[in-house]
Amino acid sequence: MFKPILAEFIATLLFIFLGAGTVVVTGGLLGEELNSARLLAIALAHGLTIALLVAATAKISGGHINPAVTFAAFITKKINLTNGISYLIAQLLGASVGALLLTIVIPQTLQGNLGAHGLGLGISAWGGLLTEIILTFVLVFVIFATALDPKGPGHLAPIAIGLVVLVDHLLGVPITGASMNPARSFGPALILGLWTGQWIYWVGPLAGATLAALVYQHIFLKKEI
């Protein structure tokens, strides 16, 4: 299990460094407000990065890079408890190191919140929670349909997963920051101690992933299994 765990650690580290890093660079170094151009840049950074990292690690660890995806794989018996916990620890450590590296690279006065997630202006906690559930449902549903369905287009899975992350960000960034990934929310929060609303970015993605996994597993894969 050493190589898969290391792959999850490295991939999550790079995802936070590049994804959250784009939020920091566009907001801090470039001083941009959240306009349409910056929103597109953030969405492209997260979507393209996850597509490349999934492609790079799919044959090593399955390319989870996300505790919600690991949990969905666990409840559908595609990964056992021990390996699932190992993945989770690797992902959280990777996210934390990725965020820490940003504090070394970016001057402190320009770091902002390191791309930490938070609710948009006027968004309630329940509205944010529902948004994260839906966004993660879409992500995990696509993962099951492409990467985990034996009849799915597995060779296109990294592209499909990257595109759904991109599209989810276009909608979700102004509302919740578009986490869909507890590790992505955890890393910056840990380094800066910004824990406000952190529960939303665990409960929402885990609930959305669970619902998507169970729907696809028991409705669309049941006959094949």
Side-chain angles (χ1 to χ4, degrees):
M1 280 298 296
F2 174 73
K3 290 182 179 178
I5 292 171
L6 181 60
E8 287 293 309
F9 171 81
I10 293 173
T12 312
L13 183 158
L14 294 176
F15 180 57
I16 272 60
F17 186 80
L18 295 173
T22 299
V23 178
V24 175
V25 167
T26 55
L29 292 180
L30 299 182
E32 297 178 355
E33 298 295 331
L34 185 58
N35 51 31
S36 297
R38 186 183 178 207
L39 175 60
L40 181 59
I42 292 171
L44 283 169
H46 284 83
L48 293 177
T49 299
I50 205 68
L52 295 173
L53 293 174
V54 168
T57 59
K59 298 298 184 181
I60 305 173
S61 66
H64 290 194
I65 321 174
N66 184 340
V69 174
T70 298
F71 186 70
F74 168 69
I75 64 174
T76 52
K77 300 181 180 179
K78 292 174 172 56
I79 188 172
N80 62 41
L81 179 60
T82 300
N83 293 345
I85 293 175
S86 298
Y87 273 31
L88 172 63
I89 293 172
Q91 291 157 357
L92 296 181
L93 286 175
S96 302
V97 174
L100 181 62
L101 289 175
L102 284 175
T103 66
I104 298 173
V105 174
I106 307 296
Q108 185 175 4
T109 56
L110 301 176
Q111 291 172 7
N113 63 357
L114 283 184
H117 291 132
L119 297 178
L121 184 64
I123 304 299
S124 69
W126 296 112
L129 179 64
L130 180 59
T131 299
E132 285 296 322
I133 291 173
I134 295 172
L135 296 180
T136 312
F137 180 95
V138 178
L139 171 62
V140 174
F141 191 86
V142 169
I143 290 173
F144 269 71
T146 56
L148 299 179
D149 189 335
K151 295 184 178 181
H155 61 293
L156 296 178
I159 297 174
I161 294 167
L163 286 175
V164 76
V165 169
L166 190 160
V167 172
D168 273 0
H169 272 77
L170 291 176
L171 170 68
V173 167
I175 302 174
T176 64
S179 173
M180 302 165 277
N181 184 336
R184 169 64 180 82
S185 299
F186 178 84
L190 177 67
I191 299 304
L192 292 186
L194 299 175
W195 298 109
T196 302
Q198 182 72 192
W199 67 274
I200 295 172
Y201 302 104
W202 283 85
V203 176
L206 291 177
T210 299
L211 185 59
L214 294 178
V215 166
Y216 202 93
Q217 181 81 0
H218 294 290
I219 295 178
F220 298 103
L221 279 181
K222 188 173 183 180
K223 290 183 179 180
E224 286 80 357
I225 293 173

